[in-house]
Amino acid sequence: MNPLTIPELLTSICCQLDRPSLVMASQVCKQWSRTCTVLLWESCPFSADRYNAYSTAFDDHAHLVRVMDAKLRLIGREMRFIAHQCTNMTELAIRHCQFTPASLDVLCGGILRVAHLTLELCRGVNSTIAARLVRLPRLIHLEIIVHTQERGNGDWREEHLVTLLTRCQLEYLKILGPDLSHVHLAGVARYENPVPLVFLHLIGTFIPDDALCRLLAKCPRLSTFVLLNNANKNSTLQTIAQHGSSLRMLELRNSKSVTTPAFDTLFKTCHLLTRLDISGTLIHDAAISTLVRHCPWIQSLDLTGCSRITSTSFLEMMITLEELKELRVGGCTRLSIASFSGTVAWASRSRLEVLDMPSVGIKVEKDSLAGLIQHLESLARLRHLTMDEAVGAHRAVREFSLRRPFVALSINSAALRVLWESEKLAL
């Protein structure tokens, strides 16, 4: 018996092929054609122009579409095609389109199986549109990226946001762009049941602390929280600390107004953190020491641009955090060669996979890199190393790169990469 006639095995093999290979395989025989056709239409790029050119093909295979990425000028029959014929679709992304409440009603009337929905840079998307998404009973993943020309125009209303948060069973919510500074979410606080959010991304929304407090208090399952471009203050971090004991991932990049006491409060409460991004902040050594003592499960830490951190707290961190897999300290200019050349082995030497350290305070013309190379040699799982050109060009680093060819060494100079490749070939 030919194993390629077994449908399950044939499907498993075809799943590994790219689209051109699938097209070629579909021409082998009828059985292969049936299998490849399902896979080809499972994920469907879509636009009005494509539909106008191949409308018959789209109509014949609409029931096979599971994932659709649609863009540009979807009106009239294109919107009706998605709503009425793509009845088995579970993921839909619509980008750069124009929306009205009527067009969304048509769409929601047919895509009842959609669990993941993305509305990216679409004109007309506001809180009124968002509130109508409660008609999708299976919706658990929602991303709304507001068009740049419609940000901050005040059309995101309190009652609509409350409806979206309390009546949709969302587990993942990403909102980028709208001005929510006037929203207080009092209706969320009065909601009897908990909000099922697990992932929450608020970017450029300027949500006030009282609204954030009411929302986080209703999200006991929240594990990932991203709050960017929000003018974060000390009170913002205190709010997160008050209700964020279940957080595993926290991203607060470029929070320039936050001081050390606020970071201390946050780290003392969020003991379960495994991923933390506080790059571009003014965090001091004292807060890093608090982080090390109270958050021992950190696996990914981004301190890029935290220029006030010194070697003292860095060494404390490296000899304490045993679970660390990714560390980014680029631009931490106070980290001298002493930070990377201590005699005590790093606690994460058996786990660290990514080390990003360009533009730190290493002076190649004065500092010996022997201690740094010793630490790098001890990192058994190191796969990606980033340095600046001055350090990367040093002979000791080049020799290390030749000894560890599986470590991807990134620097700014393409010429040096060519040099290293030629040396590897020579060996």
Side-chain angles (χ1 to χ4, degrees):
M1 179 179 179
N2 186 350
L4 292 182
T5 60
I6 303 175
E8 294 79 6
L9 180 58
L10 181 60
T11 301
S12 179
I13 294 173
C14 290
C15 284
Q16 310 303 317
L17 302 179
D18 56 17
R19 295 187 70 86
S21 300
L22 280 173
V23 172
M24 295 178 62
S26 67
Q27 301 172 10
V28 173
C29 63
K30 290 183 178 180
Q31 182 183 8
W32 284 38
S33 178
R34 287 193 296 268
T35 301
C36 294
T37 299
V38 171
L39 296 175
L40 281 168
W41 284 91
E42 184 176 34
S43 180
C44 174
F46 183 82
S47 66
D49 292 338
R50 287 174 63 88
Y51 183 70
N52 292 334
Y54 308 104
S55 58
T56 302
F58 277 106
D59 291 341
D60 292 343
H61 298 94
H63 65 285
L64 299 176
V65 176
R66 299 290 188 276
V67 180
M68 177 176 284
D69 190 341
K71 59 183 180 180
L72 300 177
R73 198 176 57 84
L74 297 184
I75 56 177
R77 65 172 186 158
E78 297 88 18
M79 195 69 76
R80 288 192 295 272
F81 162 77
I82 297 175
H84 298 159
Q85 294 180 252
C86 301
T87 54
N88 293 314
M89 187 163 51
T90 59
E91 297 184 26
L92 173 62
I94 300 182
R95 313 178 196 276
H96 305 280
C97 296
Q98 177 76 38
F99 266 104
T100 63
S103 63
L104 188 68
D105 287 342
V106 171
L107 188 65
C108 290
I111 58 170
L112 299 178
R113 294 191 178 188
V114 164
H116 294 232
L117 178 62
T118 299
L119 304 177
E120 180 179 334
L121 302 178
C122 295
R123 300 295 299 269
V125 174
N126 50 33
S127 62
T128 304
I129 295 291
R132 291 174 181 258
L133 298 177
V134 299
R135 298 180 57 187
L136 301 178
R138 300 189 183 183
L139 186 63
I140 61 172
H141 181 122
L142 175 62
E143 297 185 38
I144 297 178
I145 302 175
V146 176
H147 195 281
T148 52
Q149 295 182 9
E150 298 186 354
R151 294 179 183 177
N153 60 4
D155 59 354
W156 282 72
R157 300 180 181 178
E158 167 96 7
E159 62 272 21
H160 295 151
L161 280 173
V162 171
T163 299
L164 176 68
L165 291 168
T166 57
R167 292 180 56 189
C168 285
Q169 296 302 306
L170 294 174
E171 297 181 3
Y172 181 108
L173 176 61
K174 178 179 180 180
I175 299 180
L176 189 156
D179 183 4
L180 305 182
S181 58
H182 58 287
V183 171
H184 301 286
L185 300 183
V188 173
R190 294 192 295 267
Y191 184 58
E192 296 180 358
N193 300 320
V195 176
L197 281 176
V198 178
F199 302 89
L200 177 61
H201 298 232
L202 298 176
I203 304 173
T205 61
F206 300 100
I207 187 170
D209 291 338
D210 60 341
L212 186 61
C213 181
R214 295 185 179 104
L215 178 57
L216 295 181
K218 282 292 183 178
C219 300
R221 297 176 54 204
L222 191 67
S223 66
T224 299
F225 185 36
V226 177
L227 189 64
L228 302 180
N229 303 330
N230 194 66
N232 297 330
K233 307 179 290 295
N234 286 343
S235 57
T236 307
L237 264 67
Q238 291 167 359
T239 298
I240 298 173
Q242 183 180 357
H243 302 288
S245 59
S246 63
L247 288 177
R248 265 68 170 180
M249 175 183 173
L250 180 61
E251 190 171 333
L252 299 167
R253 291 201 308 264
N254 298 321
S255 298
K256 300 283 188 184
S257 301
V258 178
T259 61
T260 293
F263 279 119
D264 285 339
T265 303
L266 178 69
F267 298 150
K268 289 176 181 178
T269 305
C270 301
H271 305 290
L272 301 179
L273 283 175
T274 59
R275 302 179 65 87
L276 177 64
D277 185 348
I278 49 174
S279 57
T281 63
L282 302 179
I283 190 170
H284 283 264
D285 284 354
I288 295 296
S289 298
T290 305
L291 171 68
V292 169
R293 291 195 303 270
H294 295 277
C295 301
W297 308 112
I298 290 289
Q299 297 180 10
S300 177
L301 181 59
D302 194 336
L303 300 173
T304 303
C306 296
S307 57
R308 299 191 179 188
I309 298 175
T310 68
S311 300
T312 302
S313 61
F314 180 84
L315 289 173
E316 180 184 3
M317 178 174 62
M318 296 309 293
I319 64 177
T320 305
L321 296 180
E322 299 181 357
E323 304 295 323
L324 200 60
K325 294 182 180 180
E326 300 180 12
L327 177 63
R328 293 176 171 83
V329 291
C332 297
T333 53
R334 295 192 183 185
L335 298 184
S336 63
I337 189 61
S339 305
F340 306 93
S341 300
T343 57
V344 180
W346 291 348
S348 59
R349 61 188 180 278
S350 63
R351 296 181 180 270
L352 195 64
E353 299 176 4
V354 177
L355 178 58
D356 191 333
M357 46 172 289
S359 303
V360 294
I362 298 178
K363 297 178 174 57
V364 177
E365 64 278 3
K366 297 181 180 179
D367 300 329
S368 170
L369 301 187
L372 170 61
I373 299 301
Q374 181 180 353
H375 278 304
L376 295 179
E377 294 281 9
S378 69
L379 302 178
R381 296 189 180 182
L382 185 65
R383 292 294 178 266
H384 191 90
L385 175 65
T386 304
M387 295 179 168
D388 55 28
E389 184 174 337
V391 179
H394 194 277
R395 182 178 181 81
V397 177
R398 289 163 54 191
E399 292 175 349
F400 166 77
S401 175
L402 295 174
R403 292 193 298 271
R404 299 284 294 276
F406 297 106
V407 177
L409 181 57
S410 300
I411 57 174
N412 296 327
S413 173
L416 284 176
R417 286 197 293 272
V418 173
L419 175 62
W420 291 336
E421 290 296 328
S422 63
E423 292 187 39
K424 291 179 183 178
L425 292 175
L427 290 180

